[in-house]
């Protein structure tokens, strides 16, 4: 038998009607040896936490508020860890993209250097052609005048310099 307030309630006796409990205590603790009665399910649940101290971090029975705050702290720490993981993942992606941009910039510089070399070679060949056959250069210039080709700029006498290009081409 266990005392519940002013009334003695037999332990976990399903035959005891809830009407035999003190008024407003319709929720009984089912832990063997306890038998306390409570007016609300919430109060019973709070009471049940006092029996479950095996998983608690502390030796003594803390207040409900302290346990609740500890639960919230653990949840906040878990959320913080998830955010840290997401930030680390996004930082890694950012670093990979930065590396890719750097590599593409180097490749673009190499391609630009190759294009300049080819342009100078083209201009040199066009000058040789102009020296040997001026009519051939005019024919090429008229064909390329629509798209601003090298031969058109040479026929006009400006070369690449007139368009902000790289400057003097070496004659062979």
């Amino acid at each position: 038998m266990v005392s519940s307030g002013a009334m003695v309630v037999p332990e976990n006796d399903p035959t005891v009607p809830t009407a035999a409990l003190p008024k407003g205590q319709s929720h009984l603790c089912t832990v063997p040896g306890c038998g306390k009665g409570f007016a609300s399910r919430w109060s019973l649940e709070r009471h049940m936490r006092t029996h479950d101290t095996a998983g608690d971090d502390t030796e003594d029975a803390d207040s409900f508020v302290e346990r609740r705050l500890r639960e919230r702290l653990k949840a906040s720490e878990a959320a913080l860890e998830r955010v840290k993981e997401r930030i680390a993942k996004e930082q890694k992606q950012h670093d990979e993209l930065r590396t890719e941009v750097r590599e593409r910039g180097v490749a673009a510089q190499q391609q630009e250097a190759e294009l300049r070399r080819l342009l100078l070679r083209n201009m040199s060949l066009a000058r040789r052609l102009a020296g040997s056959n001026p009519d051939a250069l005019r024919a090429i210039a008229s064909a390329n005048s629509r798209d601003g080709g090298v031969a058109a700029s040479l026929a006009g006498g400006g070369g690449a310099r007139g368009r902000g290009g790289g400057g003097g081409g070496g004659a062979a």
Side-chain angles (χ1 to χ4, degrees):
M1 303 287 256
V2 176
S3 174
S4 174
M7 178 176 175
V8 176
V9 178
E11 277 180 33
N12 300 325
D13 188 356
T15 62
V16 175
T18 56
L21 293 173
K23 185 172 181 160
Q25 294 187 358
S26 60
H27 301 279
L28 271 180
C29 179
T30 58
V31 173
C34 184
K36 289 187 178 181
F38 298 93
S40 69
R41 188 182 72 176
W42 184 84
S43 297
L44 175 62
E45 288 175 2
R46 182 178 62 201
H47 167 75
M48 293 301 284
R49 287 189 192 110
T50 64
H51 292 298
D52 185 26
T53 57
D56 214 354
D57 294 336
T58 60
E59 304 285 324
D60 60 338
D62 292 336
S63 73
F64 171 74
V65 173
E66 289 173 338
R67 285 191 302 269
R68 182 72 175 135
L69 288 174
R70 201 175 304 114
E71 291 171 4
R72 285 184 178 178
L73 177 61
K74 286 179 185 179
S76 296
E77 288 171 345
L80 179 62
E81 284 302 313
R82 288 190 302 271
V83 168
K84 284 180 180 180
E85 290 171 2
R86 191 179 78 220
I87 288 173
K89 179 182 174 184
E90 290 176 0
Q91 182 65 42
K92 182 180 176 183
Q93 289 175 343
H94 176 76
D95 292 343
E96 290 172 354
L97 289 173
R98 184 177 290 198
T99 301
E100 183 179 342
V101 166
R102 194 176 307 124
E103 290 170 354
R104 288 187 182 200
V106 168
Q109 289 174 348
Q110 292 170 346
Q111 290 173 348
E112 185 178 345
E114 179 67 14
L115 285 173
R116 283 188 189 131
R117 187 187 69 74
L118 291 172
L119 178 63
L120 292 175
R121 175 78 175 140
N122 192 12
M123 289 172 60
S124 173
L125 291 173
R127 285 193 179 111
R128 278 190 196 170
L129 182 61
S132 66
N133 189 353
D135 292 333
L137 183 60
R138 283 189 203 95
I140 292 171
S142 67
N144 288 336
S145 65
R146 288 182 291 259
D147 58 66
V150 174
S153 64
L154 288 175
R161 283 183 230 152
R163 293 191 324 258

